[in-house]
């Protein structure tokens, strides 16, 4: 198995490569960097199309050569160019080809620096991938020889969260990281002219925070049942009037990774972020691994 990371043939930002290198090193596995070049439209194999695609292929080879020069010596890596009708299809085919346990991508270059931003390719993959997808924040870097110190599990609540916790615990075990449960509460600020309802809303948030601590205790048995149980840390709870504030209310260290589960409405196929998981992902200051329901326990 190899971690597969997708890069644009012409994009200079390599946040995904940095994250994949970190995860591959921590897990003692190798990685494959894939640049996908589109095939011509059906019925349009004109010379101008062939010339442009040849140009893209050469551009991809140059991008991969630059990446190879920047990679550390302690992580085995190969680079490949693949052709496909679409980038998302090409990356999924590569993930299958290399039996990837994880597909890694960078954030959209139009996103805010330091936060996860889902580009169009990532959005499409979120709706079609049966493989967990990791997304690095915009501008993410990983110094050589660094490892993952902690895996945070984004807990939303639900009957099947134990399976996702078990998966995240296995990830933590494989990279030698500790694990903690995290959850968030977003509550709108009351009008400046009134405090009506503020106390009640705060009571609800306080109750959920207390319940999170109880849930963390209950799920500790799930983590303890793993072949190599990771160290368990106290749960964290972030609150704020926006999702940005709620995630910022939790302490994040360099190298942290956040794991969230996909929507229950997706059934057994594909990632597809639900509303809450999507908001957590889009405001995360650390890399996020989104796990399809059918991958829990893989």
């Amino acid at each position: 198995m190899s971690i597969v990371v997708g890069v644009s043939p012409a994009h200079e930002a390599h946040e995904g490569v940095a994250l994949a290198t970190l995860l591959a090193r921590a897990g003692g596995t190798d990685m494959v960097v894939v640049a996908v070049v589109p095939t011509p439209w059906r019925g349009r194999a004109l010379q101008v199309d062939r010339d442009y695609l040849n140009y893209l292929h050469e551009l991809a080879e140059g991008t991969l050569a630059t990446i190879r020069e920047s990679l550390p010596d302690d992580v085995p890596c190969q680079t490949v160019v693949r052709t496909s009708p679409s980038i998302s299809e090409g990356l999924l085919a590569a993930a299958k080809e290399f039996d990837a346990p994880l597909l890694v991508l960078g954030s959209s270059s139009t996103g805010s620096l330091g936060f996860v931003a889902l580009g169009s390719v990532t959005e499409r993959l979120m709706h079609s991938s049966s493989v967990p997808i990791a997304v690095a924040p915009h501008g993410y870097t990983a110094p050589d020889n660094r490892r993952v110190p902690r895996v945070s599990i984004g807990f939303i609540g639900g009957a099947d969260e134990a399976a996702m916790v078990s998966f995240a615990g296995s990830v933590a075990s494989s990279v030698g990281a500790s694990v903690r449960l995290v959850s968030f509460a977003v509550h709108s600020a009351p009008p400046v002219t009134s405090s009506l309802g503020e106390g009640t809303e705060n009571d609800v948030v306080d109750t959920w925070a207390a319940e999170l601590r109880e849930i963390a205790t209950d799920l500790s048995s799930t983590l303890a049942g793993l072949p190599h149980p990771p160290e368990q840390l106290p749960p964290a709870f972030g609150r704020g009037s926006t999702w940005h504030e709620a995630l910022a209310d939790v302490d994040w260290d360099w190298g942290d990774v956040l794991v969230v589960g996909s929507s229950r409405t997706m059934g057994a196929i594909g990632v597809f972020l639900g509303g809450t998981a999507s908001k957590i992902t889009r405001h995360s200051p650390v890399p996020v691994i989104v796990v399809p329901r059918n991958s829990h326990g893989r």
Side-chain angles (χ1 to χ4, degrees), residues 245-297:
E245 289 181 1
L247 269 81
D249 193 42
V250 172
D251 69 290
W252 302 103
D253 294 332
W254 191 96
D256 277 359
V257 172
L258 174 62
V259 178
V260 298
S262 60
S263 172
R264 296 175 190 82
T265 62
M266 196 60 185
I269 302 176
V271 175
F272 190 69
L273 285 176
T276 301
S278 177
K279 292 180 177 68
I280 293 173
T281 299
R282 294 172 189 275
H283 292 85
S284 176
V286 299
V288 176
I289 299 176
V290 185
V291 185
R293 295 285 158 179
N294 63 317
S295 288
H296 292 172

Side-chain angles (χ1 to χ4, degrees), residues 57-81:
H57 200 282
E58 293 175 0
L59 201 62
E61 291 287 6
T63 296
L64 294 178
T66 301
I67 290 174
R68 286 194 298 270
E69 293 175 357
S70 66
L71 291 172
D73 297 331
D74 63 331
V75 178
C77 177
Q78 60 175 309
T79 58
V80 297
V81 177

Side-chain angles (χ1 to χ4, degrees), residues 105 118-128 273 278 282:
L105 302 166
L118 304 182
S120 58
V121 172
T122 306
E123 290 274 14
R124 285 193 291 273
L125 285 168
M126 289 289 182
H127 287 74
S128 57
L273 285 176
S278 177
R282 294 172 189 275

Side-chain angles (χ1 to χ4, degrees), residues 2-11 13-14 16-17 20 31-38 59-61 63-65 67-68 71 77-84 86-100 102-106 121 125:
S2 302
I3 292 176
V4 169
V5 52
V7 298
S8 168
H11 207 291
H14 300 140
V17 175
M31 55 187 280
V32 181
V33 184
V34 181
V36 178
V37 174
L59 201 62
E61 291 287 6
T63 296
L64 294 178
I67 290 174
R68 286 194 298 270
L71 291 172
C77 177
Q78 60 175 309
T79 58
V80 297
V81 177
R82 292 291 185 263
T83 58
S84 175
S86 75
I87 295 176
S88 56
E89 289 181 21
L91 290 176
L92 289 176
K96 182 177 181 179
E97 176 186 352
F98 295 102
D99 192 23
L102 194 65
L103 177 57
V104 183
L105 302 166
V121 172
L125 285 168

Side-chain angles (χ1 to χ4, degrees), residues 190-249:
V192 294
T193 57
S194 172
S195 60
L196 183 64
E198 180 180 3
T200 301
E201 191 166 82
N202 286 335
D203 288 343
V204 171
V205 174
D206 290 340
T207 299
W208 171 229
E211 289 180 355
L212 179 67
R213 290 189 288 271
E214 295 179 5
I215 293 169
T217 300
D218 294 339
L219 290 174
S220 63
S221 58
T222 299
L223 295 172
L226 295 173
H228 303 285
E231 176 190 3
Q232 298 179 47
L233 302 177
F237 189 81
R239 63 180 76 190
S241 60
T242 65
W243 282 99
H244 179 79
E245 289 181 1
L247 269 81
D249 193 42

